């Protein structure tokens, strides 16, 4: 059990993961549909290495915003937690965004660094002339064939060579991420989500899904990082599906499972 679980105003997901890793580093915690898996200890180490990579290799500073344009995966979790350990802010970009919708969120959040799956790079590259503030892409997977010359491209796997981050821990009031509204009634608006809010969101979800409800919960929507990670408070197997691109109803590959046996 997380030692601060009864102090919701002080909870952070990053601190919870650190505690679990200290008590049970070898426990399975996360797997994805691409065949990757993390123990609790591996999740912590990979996240802290990514934090160090962002700061020491790319110059990202605490409180700076970093875009995350990635499908559900272990790499996405390590990326977002790494941004959190740095006390930077993850801007969670829906992977279904295209053209004007994507351009608006990239420009509105004034991102200078975006972590992006290789399969999604083309959607950002097509907007290059309208993204003057964006110099750096961290690419997960195979490098794209071409990118605008003014952009710097680095590989996500380069973070594995970095020492784990040892900077100050995030505070509960620090902004963990920004999530945008759907934009159905006008330009989408970014919602600031502090660390403690994301932890409380998960605790509330766990309370709603407690026994005798089913041991797994499926959500047919792009993975909301705070919801997905904080749902691991409870002893539940949690899968987050992205919607099928063809029908929008049936789940398609792209899930995350948080192991029910991970320490709480």
């Amino acid at each position: 059990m997380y030692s601060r679980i009864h102090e919701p105003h002080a909870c952070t997901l990053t601190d919870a993961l650190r505690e679990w890793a200290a008590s049970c580093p070898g426990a399975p915690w996360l797997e994805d549909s691409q065949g990757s898996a993390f123990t609790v200890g591996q999740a912590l180490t990979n996240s802290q290495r990514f934090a160090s990579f962002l700061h020491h290799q790319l110059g990202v500073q605490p409180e700076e915003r970093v875009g995350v344009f990635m499908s559900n995966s272990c790499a996405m979790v390590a990326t977002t937690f790494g941004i959190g350990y740095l006390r930077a802010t993850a801007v969670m970009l829906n992977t279904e965004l295209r053209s004007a919708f994507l351009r608006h969120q990239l420009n509105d959040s004034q991102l200078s660094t975006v972590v992006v799956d290789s399969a999604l790079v083309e959607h950002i590259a097509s907007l290059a002339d309208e993204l003057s503030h964006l110099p750096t892409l961290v690419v997960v997977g195979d490098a794209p064939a071409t990118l605008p010359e003014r952009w710097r491209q680095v590989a996500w796997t380069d973070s594995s060579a970095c020492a784990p981050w040892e900077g100050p821990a995030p505070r509960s009031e620090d902004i963990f991420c920004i999530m945008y509204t759907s934009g159905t009634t006008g330009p989408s608006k970014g919602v600031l989500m502090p660390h403690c809010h994301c932890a409380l969101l998960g605790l509330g979800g766990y309370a709603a899904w407690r026994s005798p409800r089913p041991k797994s919960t499926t959500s047919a929507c792009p993975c909301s990082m705070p919801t997905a990670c904080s749902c691991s408070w409870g002893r539940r197997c949690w899968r987050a599906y992205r919607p099928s691109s063809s029908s929008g109803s049936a789940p398609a590959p792209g899930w995350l499972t948080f192991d029910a046996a991970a320490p709480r």
Side-chain angles (χ1 to χ4, degrees), residues 60-122:
V60 176
Q61 301 299 313
E63 299 186 16
E64 187 172 337
R65 298 168 183 173
V66 178
V68 180
F69 196 37
M70 302 172 65
S71 298
N72 300 337
S73 66
C74 290
M76 187 267 286
V77 173
T79 295
T80 310
F81 267 77
I83 295 168
Y85 279 114
L86 180 57
R87 292 180 61 193
T89 299
V91 179
M92 308 305 295
L93 300 164
N94 188 320
T95 56
E96 301 298 315
L97 291 176
R98 301 291 184 267
S99 59
F101 288 95
L102 179 59
R103 181 183 65 244
H104 166 70
Q105 294 186 19
L106 290 169
N107 284 328
D108 184 66
S109 54
Q110 299 182 336
L111 298 173
S112 59
T113 302
V114 174
V115 188
V116 55
D117 285 341
S118 58
L120 298 172
V121 169
E122 63 180 295

Side-chain angles (χ1 to χ4, degrees), residues 221-235:
C221 61
C223 183
S224 156
M225 196 57 224
T227 304
C229 290
S230 53
C231 278
S232 61
W233 288 116
R235 295 185 178 276

Side-chain angles (χ1 to χ4, degrees), residues 196-263:
C196 61
H197 178 87
C198 296
L200 284 169
L201 181 63
L203 287 170
Y206 169 50
W209 298 333
R210 292 176 67 178
S211 295
R213 294 175 184 269
K215 293 186 178 180
S216 64
T217 300
T218 299
S219 174
C221 61
C223 183
S224 156
M225 196 57 224
T227 304
C229 290
S230 53
C231 278
S232 61
W233 288 116
R235 295 185 178 276
R236 293 291 182 273
C237 176
W238 197 91
R239 285 187 174 184
Y241 288 90
R242 62 179 173 82
S244 167
S245 58
S246 56
S247 65
S249 56
W255 50 261
L256 288 170
T257 295
F258 291 83
D259 198 286

Side-chain angles (χ1 to χ4, degrees), residues 177-189:
C177 71
I178 296 175
M179 299 183 67
Y180 275 83
T181 61
S182 61
T184 53
T185 59
S188 53
K189 296 167 283 293

